[in-house]
Amino acid sequence: MRLMTIRTDRVISSAEFLEFADLQLDSLDEGMIAVAAEHLQALANNKNFLLDKVNDGLLQLGARSVLSASAATMILGRCRTKGWFIRANLWPPVPHTDSPTERGVFSYEGVHDHNFSFLTANYMGPGYETEVWLNRSACREGHEVGDQVQLEYQGRFVLAPFTQMYYQHGTDVHLQLSPSELSVSLNLMFNDPEVRLRPQHSFDVRRSCVTDRP
């Protein structure tokens, strides 16, 4: 996982961000991820667009289903020429004493990897905490349930304001922890069809093994 601090006063719209991704973001190398992070922070600085998006969707909801959303996620726009999209994630504080089902809905339960790469920025609130491991034994074909893996602990991090994280599919493994206050993140999702066909995994970090392929 790559952790970045991005500070800029620039403000852009979601349309401007998607145009940048369509026209300029062709590779996911280290340099371009840093450029993408600068643009994503400029979008995160726009404190009106998300509320406007929700209000517009609610106004039209009576006519047709226009909100691409769940309890935790809302799709905010898609690239024209790539399979990438941007979304907002809601991270409410959910105490350990609350329902395990509710904690599971918001991904506060279970150590897992992803079959997609993504860049995420803090949009609102203090941000969630996450513990991160590097899967040194990651492979293109994935792992079977019960396989032993080499997980190297990277530390605990907070998606604080002006902080961004880039997660690499397959190799970055993490556990998300409930924030102290309601938080919202913005994600640029690198939705590669070939990568999405690969398995996702759940892990037991104490036994260093795969427990599921959800």
Side-chain angles (χ1 to χ4, degrees), residues 64-97:
R64 56 191 174 91
S65 179
V66 296
L67 282 176
S68 178
S70 68
T73 301
M74 185 172 72
I75 307 300
L76 302 175
R78 300 179 182 275
C79 291
R80 297 187 306 273
T81 62
K82 303 177 177 73
W84 306 345
F85 59 93
I86 50 175
R87 72 181 186 186
N89 275 13
L90 182 71
W91 306 106
V94 180
H96 284 284
T97 54

PDB file of all heavy atoms in Angstrom, residues 64-97:
ATOM      1  N   ARG A  64     -37.606   7.509 -11.926  1.00  0.00           N
ATOM      2  CA  ARG A  64     -36.871   6.309 -12.317  1.00  0.00           C
ATOM      3  C   ARG A  64     -35.736   6.100 -11.334  1.00  0.00           C
ATOM      4  O   ARG A  64     -35.362   7.000 -10.591  1.00  0.00           O
ATOM      5  CB  ARG A  64     -36.314   6.428 -13.742  1.00  0.00           C
ATOM      6  CG  ARG A  64     -35.434   7.650 -13.956  1.00  0.00           C
ATOM      7  CD  ARG A  64     -35.128   7.861 -15.432  1.00  0.00           C
ATOM      8  NE  ARG A  64     -34.406   9.101 -15.657  1.00  0.00           N
ATOM      9  CZ  ARG A  64     -33.085   9.219 -15.664  1.00  0.00           C
ATOM     10  NH1 ARG A  64     -32.345   8.150 -15.439  1.00  0.00           N
ATOM     11  NH2 ARG A  64     -32.504  10.371 -15.887  1.00  0.00           N
ATOM     12  N   SER A  65     -35.177   4.907 -11.350  1.00  0.00           N
ATOM     13  CA  SER A  65     -34.089   4.595 -10.437  1.00  0.00           C
ATOM     14  C   SER A  65     -32.799   5.165 -10.995  1.00  0.00           C
ATOM     15  O   SER A  65     -32.290   4.704 -12.011  1.00  0.00           O
ATOM     16  CB  SER A  65     -33.956   3.070 -10.263  1.00  0.00           C
ATOM     17  OG  SER A  65     -32.888   2.771  -9.405  1.00  0.00           O
ATOM     18  N   VAL A  66     -32.269   6.202 -10.373  1.00  0.00           N
ATOM     19  CA  VAL A  66     -31.073   6.873 -10.885  1.00  0.00           C
ATOM     20  C   VAL A  66     -29.904   6.815  -9.927  1.00  0.00           C
ATOM     21  O   VAL A  66     -28.781   7.100 -10.304  1.00  0.00           O
ATOM     22  CB  VAL A  66     -31.376   8.352 -11.218  1.00  0.00           C
ATOM     23  CG1 VAL A  66     -32.384   8.446 -12.344  1.00  0.00           C
ATOM     24  CG2 VAL A  66     -31.878   9.086  -9.987  1.00  0.00           C
ATOM     25  N   LEU A  67     -30.147   6.469  -8.687  1.00  0.00           N
ATOM     26  CA  LEU A  67     -29.060   6.411  -7.719  1.00  0.00           C
ATOM     27  C   LEU A  67     -28.385   5.046  -7.760  1.00  0.00           C
ATOM     28  O   LEU A  67     -29.020   4.037  -7.487  1.00  0.00           O
ATOM     29  CB  LEU A  67     -29.573   6.667  -6.304  1.00  0.00           C
ATOM     30  CG  LEU A  67     -29.853   8.120  -5.920  1.00  0.00           C
ATOM     31  CD1 LEU A  67     -30.450   8.172  -4.528  1.00  0.00           C
ATOM     32  CD2 LEU A  67     -28.598   8.951  -5.984  1.00  0.00           C
ATOM     33  N   SER A  68     -27.125   5.019  -8.155  1.00  0.00           N
ATOM     34  CA  SER A  68     -26.356   3.773  -8.087  1.00  0.00           C
ATOM     35  C   SER A  68     -25.690   3.750  -6.728  1.00  0.00           C
ATOM     36  O   SER A  68     -24.600   4.274  -6.541  1.00  0.00           O
ATOM     37  CB  SER A  68     -25.320   3.719  -9.211  1.00  0.00           C
ATOM     38  OG  SER A  68     -24.558   2.540  -9.122  1.00  0.00           O
ATOM     39  N   ALA A  69     -26.386   3.182  -5.730  1.00  0.00           N
ATOM     40  CA  ALA A  69     -25.915   3.308  -4.359  1.00  0.00           C
ATOM     41  C   ALA A  69     -26.371   2.134  -3.520  1.00  0.00           C
ATOM     42  O   ALA A  69     -27.293   1.410  -3.877  1.00  0.00           O
ATOM     43  CB  ALA A  69     -26.423   4.613  -3.740  1.00  0.00           C
ATOM     44  N   SER A  70     -25.674   1.949  -2.402  1.00  0.00           N
ATOM     45  CA  SER A  70     -26.080   0.996  -1.375  1.00  0.00           C
ATOM     46  C   SER A  70     -25.991   1.733  -0.055  1.00  0.00           C
ATOM     47  O   SER A  70     -25.838   2.955  -0.023  1.00  0.00           O
ATOM     48  CB  SER A  70     -25.149  -0.223  -1.384  1.00  0.00           C
ATOM     49  OG  SER A  70     -23.854   0.151  -0.949  1.00  0.00           O
ATOM     50  N   ALA A  71     -26.079   1.009   1.048  1.00  0.00           N
ATOM     51  CA  ALA A  71     -25.966   1.653   2.359  1.00  0.00           C
ATOM     52  C   ALA A  71     -24.594   2.281   2.549  1.00  0.00           C
ATOM     53  O   ALA A  71     -24.441   3.218   3.322  1.00  0.00           O
ATOM     54  CB  ALA A  71     -26.227   0.622   3.454  1.00  0.00           C
ATOM     55  N   ALA A  72     -23.585   1.779   1.849  1.00  0.00           N
ATOM     56  CA  ALA A  72     -22.221   2.234   2.107  1.00  0.00           C
ATOM     57  C   ALA A  72     -21.566   2.920   0.917  1.00  0.00           C
ATOM     58  O   ALA A  72     -20.561   3.601   1.090  1.00  0.00           O
ATOM     59  CB  ALA A  72     -21.362   1.040   2.522  1.00  0.00           C
ATOM     60  N   THR A  73     -22.094   2.778  -0.304  1.00  0.00           N
ATOM     61  CA  THR A  73     -21.369   3.186  -1.498  1.00  0.00           C
ATOM     62  C   THR A  73     -22.282   3.888  -2.493  1.00  0.00           C
ATOM     63  O   THR A  73     -23.433   3.502  -2.661  1.00  0.00           O
ATOM     64  CB  THR A  73     -20.745   1.964  -2.193  1.00  0.00           C
ATOM     65  OG1 THR A  73     -19.857   1.311  -1.278  1.00  0.00           O
ATOM     66  CG2 THR A  73     -19.971   2.358  -3.434  1.00  0.00           C
ATOM     67  N   MET A  74     -21.758   4.919  -3.170  1.00  0.00           N
ATOM     68  CA  MET A  74     -22.479   5.544  -4.270  1.00  0.00           C
ATOM     69  C   MET A  74     -21.529   5.790  -5.433  1.00  0.00           C
ATOM     70  O   MET A  74     -20.457   6.371  -5.251  1.00  0.00           O
ATOM     71  CB  MET A  74     -23.114   6.870  -3.844  1.00  0.00           C
ATOM     72  CG  MET A  74     -23.967   7.492  -4.942  1.00  0.00           C
ATOM     73  SD  MET A  74     -24.913   8.930  -4.385  1.00  0.00           S
ATOM     74  CE  MET A  74     -23.604  10.116  -4.198  1.00  0.00           C
ATOM     75  N   ILE A  75     -21.902   5.330  -6.628  1.00  0.00           N
ATOM     76  CA  ILE A  75     -21.115   5.568  -7.834  1.00  0.00           C
ATOM     77  C   ILE A  75     -21.331   7.008  -8.280  1.00  0.00           C
ATOM     78  O   ILE A  75     -22.465   7.461  -8.399  1.00  0.00           O
ATOM     79  CB  ILE A  75     -21.510   4.587  -8.956  1.00  0.00           C
ATOM     80  CG1 ILE A  75     -21.434   3.145  -8.466  1.00  0.00           C
ATOM     81  CG2 ILE A  75     -20.622   4.808 -10.177  1.00  0.00           C
ATOM     82  CD1 ILE A  75     -20.070   2.721  -7.994  1.00  0.00           C
ATOM     83  N   LEU A  76     -20.242   7.733  -8.556  1.00  0.00           N
ATOM     84  CA  LEU A  76     -20.319   9.154  -8.868  1.00  0.00           C
ATOM     85  C   LEU A  76     -20.041   9.471 -10.323  1.00  0.00           C
ATOM     86  O   LEU A  76     -20.298  10.584 -10.769  1.00  0.00           O
ATOM     87  CB  LEU A  76     -19.319   9.931  -7.996  1.00  0.00           C
ATOM     88  CG  LEU A  76     -19.513   9.770  -6.484  1.00  0.00           C
ATOM     89  CD1 LEU A  76     -18.392  10.474  -5.738  1.00  0.00           C
ATOM     90  CD2 LEU A  76     -20.859  10.315  -6.055  1.00  0.00           C
ATOM     91  N   GLY A  77     -19.514   8.535 -11.087  1.00  0.00           N
ATOM     92  CA  GLY A  77     -19.233   8.783 -12.496  1.00  0.00           C
ATOM     93  C   GLY A  77     -18.271   7.759 -13.046  1.00  0.00           C
ATOM     94  O   GLY A  77     -17.498   7.141 -12.300  1.00  0.00           O
ATOM     95  N   ARG A  78     -18.323   7.563 -14.357  1.00  0.00           N
ATOM     96  CA  ARG A  78     -17.487   6.572 -15.028  1.00  0.00           C
ATOM     97  C   ARG A  78     -16.710   7.211 -16.169  1.00  0.00           C
ATOM     98  O   ARG A  78     -17.191   8.144 -16.821  1.00  0.00           O
ATOM     99  CB  ARG A  78     -18.348   5.425 -15.571  1.00  0.00           C
ATOM    100  CG  ARG A  78     -19.124   4.684 -14.490  1.00  0.00           C
ATOM    101  CD  ARG A  78     -19.985   3.569 -15.077  1.00  0.00           C
ATOM    102  NE  ARG A  78     -20.763   2.902 -14.043  1.00  0.00           N
ATOM    103  CZ  ARG A  78     -20.334   1.904 -13.285  1.00  0.00           C
ATOM    104  NH1 ARG A  78     -19.104   1.455 -13.459  1.00  0.00           N
ATOM    105  NH2 ARG A  78     -21.100   1.357 -12.367  1.00  0.00           N
ATOM    106  N   CYS A  79     -15.517   6.699 -16.410  1.00  0.00           N
ATOM    107  CA  CYS A  79     -14.736   7.146 -17.552  1.00  0.00           C
ATOM    108  C   CYS A  79     -15.416   6.709 -18.850  1.00  0.00           C
ATOM    109  O   CYS A  79     -16.079   5.674 -18.908  1.00  0.00           O
ATOM    110  CB  CYS A  79     -13.325   6.571 -17.489  1.00  0.00           C
ATOM    111  SG  CYS A  79     -12.305   7.234 -16.154  1.00  0.00           S
ATOM    112  N   ARG A  80     -15.220   7.481 -19.898  1.00  0.00           N
ATOM    113  CA  ARG A  80     -15.816   7.146 -21.200  1.00  0.00           C
ATOM    114  C   ARG A  80     -15.019   6.067 -21.917  1.00  0.00           C
ATOM    115  O   ARG A  80     -15.592   5.218 -22.596  1.00  0.00           O
ATOM    116  CB  ARG A  80     -15.885   8.392 -22.089  1.00  0.00           C
ATOM    117  CG  ARG A  80     -16.773   9.498 -21.562  1.00  0.00           C
ATOM    118  CD  ARG A  80     -16.916  10.616 -22.606  1.00  0.00           C
ATOM    119  NE  ARG A  80     -15.604  11.098 -23.037  1.00  0.00           N
ATOM    120  CZ  ARG A  80     -14.930  12.058 -22.419  1.00  0.00           C
ATOM    121  NH1 ARG A  80     -15.423  12.630 -21.336  1.00  0.00           N
ATOM    122  NH2 ARG A  80     -13.754  12.464 -22.882  1.00  0.00           N
ATOM    123  N   THR A  81     -13.693   6.104 -21.797  1.00  0.00           N
ATOM    124  CA  THR A  81     -12.837   5.243 -22.607  1.00  0.00           C
ATOM    125  C   THR A  81     -12.216   4.102 -21.823  1.00  0.00           C
ATOM    126  O   THR A  81     -11.537   3.262 -22.407  1.00  0.00           O
ATOM    127  CB  THR A  81     -11.711   6.075 -23.246  1.00  0.00           C
ATOM    128  OG1 THR A  81     -10.909   6.654 -22.201  1.00  0.00           O
ATOM    129  CG2 THR A  81     -12.280   7.181 -24.115  1.00  0.00           C
ATOM    130  N   LYS A  82     -12.426   4.076 -20.514  1.00  0.00           N
ATOM    131  CA  LYS A  82     -11.836   3.045 -19.669  1.00  0.00           C
ATOM    132  C   LYS A  82     -12.918   2.477 -18.753  1.00  0.00           C
ATOM    133  O   LYS A  82     -13.985   3.062 -18.599  1.00  0.00           O
ATOM    134  CB  LYS A  82     -10.691   3.625 -18.834  1.00  0.00           C
ATOM    135  CG  LYS A  82      -9.572   4.291 -19.650  1.00  0.00           C
ATOM    136  CD  LYS A  82      -8.542   4.893 -18.722  1.00  0.00           C
ATOM    137  CE  LYS A  82      -7.373   5.505 -19.488  1.00  0.00           C
ATOM    138  NZ  LYS A  82      -7.765   6.776 -20.166  1.00  0.00           N
ATOM    139  N   GLY A  83     -12.614   1.352 -18.126  1.00  0.00           N
ATOM    140  CA  GLY A  83     -13.563   0.752 -17.207  1.00  0.00           C
ATOM    141  C   GLY A  83     -13.500   1.329 -15.812  1.00  0.00           C
ATOM    142  O   GLY A  83     -14.078   0.768 -14.883  1.00  0.00           O
ATOM    143  N   TRP A  84     -12.810   2.440 -15.629  1.00  0.00           N
ATOM    144  CA  TRP A  84     -12.601   3.022 -14.321  1.00  0.00           C
ATOM    145  C   TRP A  84     -13.798   3.871 -13.909  1.00  0.00           C
ATOM    146  O   TRP A  84     -14.540   4.397 -14.750  1.00  0.00           O
ATOM    147  CB  TRP A  84     -11.353   3.892 -14.313  1.00  0.00           C
ATOM    148  CG  TRP A  84     -10.122   3.179 -14.784  1.00  0.00           C
ATOM    149  CD1 TRP A  84      -9.957   1.820 -14.929  1.00  0.00           C
ATOM    150  CD2 TRP A  84      -8.891   3.769 -15.189  1.00  0.00           C
ATOM    151  NE1 TRP A  84      -8.691   1.541 -15.372  1.00  0.00           N
ATOM    152  CE2 TRP A  84      -8.009   2.715 -15.545  1.00  0.00           C
ATOM    153  CE3 TRP A  84      -8.439   5.085 -15.280  1.00  0.00           C
ATOM    154  CZ2 TRP A  84      -6.720   2.943 -15.984  1.00  0.00           C
ATOM    155  CZ3 TRP A  84      -7.145   5.323 -15.718  1.00  0.00           C
ATOM    156  CH2 TRP A  84      -6.302   4.254 -16.065  1.00  0.00           C
ATOM    157  N   PHE A  85     -13.991   4.038 -12.599  1.00  0.00           N
ATOM    158  CA  PHE A  85     -15.071   4.883 -12.107  1.00  0.00           C
ATOM    159  C   PHE A  85     -14.694   5.460 -10.755  1.00  0.00           C
ATOM    160  O   PHE A  85     -13.732   5.010 -10.116  1.00  0.00           O
ATOM    161  CB  PHE A  85     -16.388   4.098 -12.018  1.00  0.00           C
ATOM    162  CG  PHE A  85     -16.363   2.894 -11.120  1.00  0.00           C
ATOM    163  CD1 PHE A  85     -16.748   2.993  -9.792  1.00  0.00           C
ATOM    164  CD2 PHE A  85     -15.965   1.650 -11.591  1.00  0.00           C
ATOM    165  CE1 PHE A  85     -16.743   1.875  -8.953  1.00  0.00           C
ATOM    166  CE2 PHE A  85     -15.949   0.533 -10.770  1.00  0.00           C
ATOM    167  CZ  PHE A  85     -16.345   0.649  -9.451  1.00  0.00           C
ATOM    168  N   ILE A  86     -15.432   6.479 -10.331  1.00  0.00           N
ATOM    169  CA  ILE A  86     -15.225   7.078  -9.014  1.00  0.00           C
ATOM    170  C   ILE A  86     -16.466   6.802  -8.164  1.00  0.00           C
ATOM    171  O   ILE A  86     -17.583   6.747  -8.664  1.00  0.00           O
ATOM    172  CB  ILE A  86     -14.938   8.596  -9.075  1.00  0.00           C
ATOM    173  CG1 ILE A  86     -15.973   9.323  -9.933  1.00  0.00           C
ATOM    174  CG2 ILE A  86     -13.538   8.860  -9.571  1.00  0.00           C
ATOM    175  CD1 ILE A  86     -15.795  10.838  -9.930  1.00  0.00           C
ATOM    176  N   ARG A  87     -16.235   6.603  -6.871  1.00  0.00           N
ATOM    177  CA  ARG A  87     -17.322   6.316  -5.959  1.00  0.00           C
ATOM    178  C   ARG A  87     -17.040   6.988  -4.618  1.00  0.00           C
ATOM    179  O   ARG A  87     -15.896   7.338  -4.306  1.00  0.00           O
ATOM    180  CB  ARG A  87     -17.506   4.810  -5.759  1.00  0.00           C
ATOM    181  CG  ARG A  87     -16.417   4.153  -4.930  1.00  0.00           C
ATOM    182  CD  ARG A  87     -16.627   2.659  -4.770  1.00  0.00           C
ATOM    183  NE  ARG A  87     -15.646   2.085  -3.862  1.00  0.00           N
ATOM    184  CZ  ARG A  87     -15.505   0.783  -3.609  1.00  0.00           C
ATOM    185  NH1 ARG A  87     -16.307  -0.088  -4.202  1.00  0.00           N
ATOM    186  NH2 ARG A  87     -14.587   0.349  -2.764  1.00  0.00           N
ATOM    187  N   ALA A  88     -18.104   7.164  -3.833  1.00  0.00           N
ATOM    188  CA  ALA A  88     -17.990   7.646  -2.460  1.00  0.00           C
ATOM    189  C   ALA A  88     -18.367   6.509  -1.530  1.00  0.00           C
ATOM    190  O   ALA A  88     -19.340   5.788  -1.781  1.00  0.00           O
ATOM    191  CB  ALA A  88     -18.899   8.841  -2.241  1.00  0.00           C
ATOM    192  N   ASN A  89     -17.595   6.335  -0.463  1.00  0.00           N
ATOM    193  CA  ASN A  89     -17.883   5.320   0.548  1.00  0.00           C
ATOM    194  C   ASN A  89     -18.183   5.992   1.882  1.00  0.00           C
ATOM    195  O   ASN A  89     -17.445   6.876   2.321  1.00  0.00           O
ATOM    196  CB  ASN A  89     -16.688   4.373   0.728  1.00  0.00           C
ATOM    197  CG  ASN A  89     -16.700   3.244  -0.289  1.00  0.00           C
ATOM    198  OD1 ASN A  89     -17.438   3.282  -1.258  1.00  0.00           O
ATOM    199  ND2 ASN A  89     -15.867   2.261  -0.069  1.00  0.00           N
ATOM    200  N   LEU A  90     -19.234   5.525   2.519  1.00  0.00           N
ATOM    201  CA  LEU A  90     -19.631   6.017   3.833  1.00  0.00           C
ATOM    202  C   LEU A  90     -19.045   5.120   4.899  1.00  0.00           C
ATOM    203  O   LEU A  90     -19.153   3.896   4.824  1.00  0.00           O
ATOM    204  CB  LEU A  90     -21.162   6.016   3.931  1.00  0.00           C
ATOM    205  CG  LEU A  90     -21.788   6.544   5.226  1.00  0.00           C
ATOM    206  CD1 LEU A  90     -21.610   8.055   5.301  1.00  0.00           C
ATOM    207  CD2 LEU A  90     -23.270   6.169   5.268  1.00  0.00           C
ATOM    208  N   TRP A  91     -18.419   5.720   5.923  1.00  0.00           N
ATOM    209  CA  TRP A  91     -17.797   4.964   7.013  1.00  0.00           C
ATOM    210  C   TRP A  91     -18.337   5.470   8.349  1.00  0.00           C
ATOM    211  O   TRP A  91     -17.741   6.352   8.971  1.00  0.00           O
ATOM    212  CB  TRP A  91     -16.270   5.113   6.960  1.00  0.00           C
ATOM    213  CG  TRP A  91     -15.677   4.747   5.652  1.00  0.00           C
ATOM    214  CD1 TRP A  91     -15.188   5.593   4.699  1.00  0.00           C
ATOM    215  CD2 TRP A  91     -15.520   3.425   5.127  1.00  0.00           C
ATOM    216  NE1 TRP A  91     -14.734   4.892   3.617  1.00  0.00           N
ATOM    217  CE2 TRP A  91     -14.929   3.556   3.848  1.00  0.00           C
ATOM    218  CE3 TRP A  91     -15.823   2.161   5.612  1.00  0.00           C
ATOM    219  CZ2 TRP A  91     -14.634   2.467   3.052  1.00  0.00           C
ATOM    220  CZ3 TRP A  91     -15.531   1.061   4.811  1.00  0.00           C
ATOM    221  CH2 TRP A  91     -14.935   1.218   3.557  1.00  0.00           C
ATOM    222  N   PRO A  92     -19.451   4.939   8.842  1.00  0.00           N
ATOM    223  CA  PRO A  92     -19.986   5.365  10.134  1.00  0.00           C
ATOM    224  C   PRO A  92     -19.249   4.691  11.274  1.00  0.00           C
ATOM    225  O   PRO A  92     -18.701   3.596  11.115  1.00  0.00           O
ATOM    226  CB  PRO A  92     -21.440   4.889  10.074  1.00  0.00           C
ATOM    227  CG  PRO A  92     -21.379   3.661   9.214  1.00  0.00           C
ATOM    228  CD  PRO A  92     -20.299   3.933   8.185  1.00  0.00           C
ATOM    229  N   PRO A  93     -19.225   5.311  12.434  1.00  0.00           N
ATOM    230  CA  PRO A  93     -18.653   4.643  13.609  1.00  0.00           C
ATOM    231  C   PRO A  93     -19.584   3.526  14.071  1.00  0.00           C
ATOM    232  O   PRO A  93     -20.763   3.763  14.328  1.00  0.00           O
ATOM    233  CB  PRO A  93     -18.559   5.768  14.653  1.00  0.00           C
ATOM    234  CG  PRO A  93     -19.585   6.768  14.236  1.00  0.00           C
ATOM    235  CD  PRO A  93     -19.681   6.685  12.738  1.00  0.00           C
ATOM    236  N   VAL A  94     -19.078   2.308  14.135  1.00  0.00           N
ATOM    237  CA  VAL A  94     -19.866   1.148  14.559  1.00  0.00           C
ATOM    238  C   VAL A  94     -19.102   0.469  15.691  1.00  0.00           C
ATOM    239  O   VAL A  94     -18.095  -0.198  15.444  1.00  0.00           O
ATOM    240  CB  VAL A  94     -20.106   0.162  13.400  1.00  0.00           C
ATOM    241  CG1 VAL A  94     -20.931  -1.026  13.881  1.00  0.00           C
ATOM    242  CG2 VAL A  94     -20.804   0.850  12.239  1.00  0.00           C
ATOM    243  N   PRO A  95     -19.538   0.608  16.924  1.00  0.00           N
ATOM    244  CA  PRO A  95     -18.819  -0.001  18.063  1.00  0.00           C
ATOM    245  C   PRO A  95     -18.783  -1.521  17.964  1.00  0.00           C
ATOM    246  O   PRO A  95     -19.631  -2.143  17.312  1.00  0.00           O
ATOM    247  CB  PRO A  95     -19.624   0.452  19.284  1.00  0.00           C
ATOM    248  CG  PRO A  95     -20.404   1.640  18.822  1.00  0.00           C
ATOM    249  CD  PRO A  95     -20.682   1.407  17.365  1.00  0.00           C
ATOM    250  N   HIS A  96     -17.816  -2.129  18.624  1.00  0.00           N
ATOM    251  CA  HIS A  96     -17.693  -3.589  18.628  1.00  0.00           C
ATOM    252  C   HIS A  96     -18.906  -4.252  19.263  1.00  0.00           C
ATOM    253  O   HIS A  96     -19.195  -5.417  18.986  1.00  0.00           O
ATOM    254  CB  HIS A  96     -16.430  -4.015  19.375  1.00  0.00           C
ATOM    255  CG  HIS A  96     -15.171  -3.807  18.583  1.00  0.00           C
ATOM    256  ND1 HIS A  96     -14.805  -4.642  17.544  1.00  0.00           N
ATOM    257  CD2 HIS A  96     -14.217  -2.855  18.665  1.00  0.00           C
ATOM    258  CE1 HIS A  96     -13.670  -4.209  17.019  1.00  0.00           C
ATOM    259  NE2 HIS A  96     -13.286  -3.138  17.687  1.00  0.00           N
ATOM    260  N   THR A  97     -19.637  -3.507  20.103  1.00  0.00           N
ATOM    261  CA  THR A  97     -20.795  -4.089  20.773  1.00  0.00           C
ATOM    262  C   THR A  97     -22.010  -4.182  19.852  1.00  0.00           C
ATOM    263  O   THR A  97     -22.987  -4.838  20.183  1.00  0.00           O
ATOM    264  CB  THR A  97     -21.168  -3.253  22.005  1.00  0.00           C
ATOM    265  OG1 THR A  97     -21.351  -1.882  21.608  1.00  0.00           O
ATOM    266  CG2 THR A  97     -20.073  -3.323  23.052  1.00  0.00           C
TER     267      THR A  97
END
